[in-house]
Amino acid sequence: MKKKILITVAIMLLAALMTTLAACNTSYKQDALPDSPDASAKVSSNGGLAVKVGNYIYFINGLAGQDGDNEFDDVVKGAIMRVPLDKEGVPQRDKVQTVVPKNVYNSEESSALVVKKGYIYFTTPNDENNSDGEPKTSEMILMRATLDGSKIETVAEFDDYSLTYRVSDNYIVYHRGTELRLIDLNDKKFKDTLIESGVGTVIFPDYADNENALADVVFYTKTPADPYADHNEVWAYRAGGAPVEAINGLNDFNKASLPHPGGYSLSLIGADFVGDSSIRLHYTKTDSGANKRSTGVYSYTFGEDFTFSESAEIRYTKGVTYTAIDFVSDERILAVDSDSIDMIYKDGDEWKHIPVVEKAATVMDFTVSDKEYTLTYLESDVIKVLEFVFDPSADEVITLQDVTTKFNSEYNSDWLGLDLIDGVVYYFNSDVLDNIYYLNLNKVDSRDVRTQIPQRLGVFSAQDIISMLESGEEEE
């Protein structure tokens, strides 16, 4: 009996050792997919659950979650897949291919699929076990893969998912806690360097289709060393360079005209690209005076030297603030607050604002032709399209013409919400085990329910098929 026990223990220890060695030497090698886009392929709708690269959509094949199957080469749900588009920009569903058989997951909405210089960047739960043999799925690995899937490598490892980051051509800048850090993608070991500590709010510009030379810039706030200061500072950091103070809420303004001697406190809203080498920062500003006369929405357009001049700052509102703004042009802005989408516009020397959608909503897309606007927005999980005429010179500045419901299906937004690419919406269908579906909004007719039925894009995992059989569910 004792001999048998010793042999059994030896076998168990050997098996554990082999498992550990396998985990430490995980190979992600696989054959390259043919006809793949190259590093120069045009990328649009970057940073979401679906990204258009050349004539392909690269997408996350459903939401498997933090504890989903993550053994390389076996993963189906949560894997990175791709599909070619037809002439109308619609996925050719019968041509789906797996690119990276790893479970893509995060808890930060800003952290999804990012494509830069021929690589796909993504995060995945740690696929190793701890000393107790339990999966370390609460830890996160940042990885990248070539567009053909032939090269997959680990960039960095973290003990949780509590960071936000932005990928540029040569670097990754990330914010974690009160630190801003840099990962050098040119370094073979992906060197990680501390850039700044004591960081407050960080703004990463969106992965916009019109990215320019300043696509590697981030803005962040800092509190002055003086604990009694009433102002704060905005800093700019260009990946690979050195931080620069962009706006000092006290020293960059004429002290004689300050509404309060303590200066201004600035809160960052966002940033967008202007031309080839400028970036426009949007922010709210207020003071510590009794009347807070400075409260409002502002912007400043920086060049590559990040110098600030008070005279070039633009103020759009007085006493009114917004949570997000989209520039239609230099003099027209779609602004979002808690209960409406407004148009901010310049009328002579005065800035005015007027409601466009008088409900809580989010801007998804818009097109403009002279005075005619088509606004796609999300209202209570429903996608609507509003057509209106905007004419500041007319008695009726905004003329609402038509509102159409384009999408009204259940979707999972625990991590990522809806992704809209060229009029096609992609999402995780919560009615069908969070698998990825799509709907071509360009073909939706509100009078014909058949045009409103979404289509499954990805591949069901074996577990999903079993779950549907056990529950008696059927695919829509």
Side-chain angles (χ1 to χ4, degrees):
M1 176 67 71
K2 186 175 182 180
K3 185 176 182 180
K4 287 184 179 180
I5 292 174
L6 289 173
I7 293 174
T8 301
V9 171
I11 292 174
M12 291 174 65
L13 289 172
L14 179 61
L17 177 62
M18 294 299 292
T19 300
T20 301
L21 290 174
C24 294
N25 295 281
T26 302
S27 173
Y28 299 118
K29 188 175 180 57
Q30 57 182 3
D31 293 335
L33 294 174
D35 303 320
S36 297
D38 60 28
S40 65
K42 183 180 179 181
V43 179
S44 59
S45 191
N46 211 354
L49 62 86
V51 181
K52 183 179 179 182
V53 186
N55 193 48
Y56 283 92
I57 293 291
Y58 282 74
F59 63 91
I60 302 171
N61 185 51
L63 179 60
Q66 180 173 303
D67 298 318
D69 179 25
N70 201 19
E71 186 170 347
F72 183 75
D73 209 31
D74 291 339
V75 175
V76 175
K77 192 168 187 177
I80 299 175
M81 297 189 179
R82 75 179 191 187
V83 63
L85 301 171
D86 65 19
K87 293 180 179 180
E88 295 184 345
V90 177
Q92 301 182 55
R93 300 169 59 201
D94 59 333
K95 297 181 179 180
V96 169
Q97 297 171 300
T98 299
V99 183
V100 182
K102 290 285 290 178
N103 174 27
V104 180
Y105 173 77
N106 206 302
S107 57
E108 295 287 343
E109 185 179 1
S110 61
S111 302
L113 298 184
V114 177
V115 177
K116 287 285 183 180
K117 292 185 69 174
Y119 280 94
I120 314 162
Y121 292 83
F122 62 96
T123 57
T124 182
N126 192 316
D127 56 5
E128 298 178 2
N129 293 335
N130 60 23
S131 57
D132 296 325
E134 300 169 339
K136 298 196 293 184
T137 57
S138 62
E139 300 180 8
M140 183 189 82
I141 302 178
L142 174 59
M143 305 186 74
R144 72 175 186 177
T146 51
L147 292 170
D148 62 9
S150 63
K151 182 179 180 181
I152 305 170
E153 55 190 343
T154 295
V155 175
E157 298 184 12
F158 302 93
D159 57 14
D160 57 29
Y161 297 82
S162 62
L163 70 148
T164 56
Y165 64 93
R166 194 183 198 281
V167 184
S168 61
D169 287 347
N170 300 304
Y171 301 95
I172 296 176
V173 179
Y174 71 89
H175 176 218
R176 189 179 192 194
T178 60
E179 291 186 344
L180 192 70
R181 304 187 67 93
L182 178 76
I183 296 174
D184 187 350
L185 298 174
N186 298 308
D187 185 83
K188 290 183 179 180
K189 294 184 178 180
F190 301 119
K191 183 180 179 181
D192 188 317
T193 306
L194 173 66
I195 301 303
E196 185 83 271
S197 57
V199 169
T201 303
V202 175
I203 289 293
F204 295 103
D206 290 338
Y207 293 103
D209 294 351
N210 68 327
E211 283 185 357
N212 62 21
L214 296 181
D216 55 0
V217 171
V218 300
F219 291 96
Y220 59 94
T221 59
K222 286 184 65 178
T223 302
D226 180 0
Y228 300 103
D230 290 319
H231 71 286
N232 67 348
E233 305 160 356
V234 175
W235 287 68
Y237 173 66
R238 191 169 185 181
V244 177
E245 187 179 60
I247 308 176
N248 185 296
L250 178 61
N251 299 332
D252 282 342
F253 297 89
N254 184 350
K255 289 181 171 56
S257 59
L258 287 175
H260 184 275
Y264 299 109
S265 177
L266 296 88
S267 298
L268 306 183
I269 299 176
D272 69 307
F273 302 103
V274 179
D276 295 328
S277 56
S278 297
I279 189 167
R280 179 167 43 200
L281 180 66
H282 333 136
Y283 50 94
T284 61
K285 194 169 74 173
T286 191
D287 58 76
S288 297
N291 297 320
K292 300 189 182 303
R293 291 187 288 114
S294 65
T295 299
V297 174
Y298 299 74
S299 82
Y300 192 89
T301 301
F302 290 97
E304 295 183 83
D305 58 0
F306 296 101
T307 57
F308 177 84
S309 172
E310 182 180 2
S311 62
E313 183 184 53
I314 300 176
R315 181 177 187 173
Y316 302 102
T317 66
K318 295 181 179 180
V320 177
T321 60
Y322 293 92
T323 56
I325 57 178
D326 289 281
F327 280 82
V328 179
S329 67
D330 288 342
E331 298 187 350
R332 297 181 184 181
I333 304 167
L334 288 168
V336 177
D337 63 14
S338 60
D339 58 7
S340 69
I341 299 175
D342 295 350
M343 178 72 80
I344 300 175
Y345 64 99
K346 194 170 186 180
D347 186 9
D349 294 330
E350 184 181 0
W351 286 94
K352 299 179 179 179
H353 54 95
I354 186 171
V356 178
V357 177
E358 297 188 74
K359 293 182 179 180
T362 304
V363 175
M364 296 189 72
D365 193 18
F366 58 85
T367 59
V368 184
S369 178
D370 190 21
K371 300 175 182 178
E372 297 182 356
Y373 287 67
T374 301
L375 171 63
T376 303
Y377 63 96
L378 184 65
E379 178 196 318
S380 299
D381 298 335
V382 177
I383 296 179
K384 296 184 178 181
V385 174
L386 169 65
E387 295 178 354
F388 65 94
V389 173
F390 174 75
D391 184 3
S393 64
D395 293 335
E396 190 174 5
V397 177
I398 289 184
T399 305
L400 304 181
Q401 294 185 322
D402 189 31
V403 181
T404 306
T405 295
K406 291 286 188 175
F407 173 91
N408 189 11
S409 297
E410 295 295 323
Y411 65 93
N412 187 316
S413 58
D414 291 344
W415 170 27
L416 302 170
L418 303 173
D419 227 341
L420 184 62
I421 305 176
D422 296 337
V424 180
V425 63
Y426 300 85
Y427 67 103
F428 296 140
N429 191 334
S430 56
D431 279 342
V432 192
L433 299 173
D434 298 328
N435 285 280
I436 187 166
Y437 277 62
Y438 73 93
L439 178 64
N440 184 4
L441 303 186
N442 300 314
K443 297 295 184 180
V444 170
D445 182 343
S446 58
R447 298 163 297 181
D448 186 349
V449 295
R450 293 172 298 179
T451 66
Q452 302 169 35
I453 299 174
Q455 303 293 315
R456 175 166 58 89
L457 173 59
V459 179
F460 281 132
S461 67
Q463 184 56 52
D464 278 349
I465 293 173
I466 292 171
S467 297
M468 287 189 291
L469 290 173
E470 289 177 345
S471 65
E473 291 183 6
E474 295 182 2
E475 180 189 354
E476 290 184 347

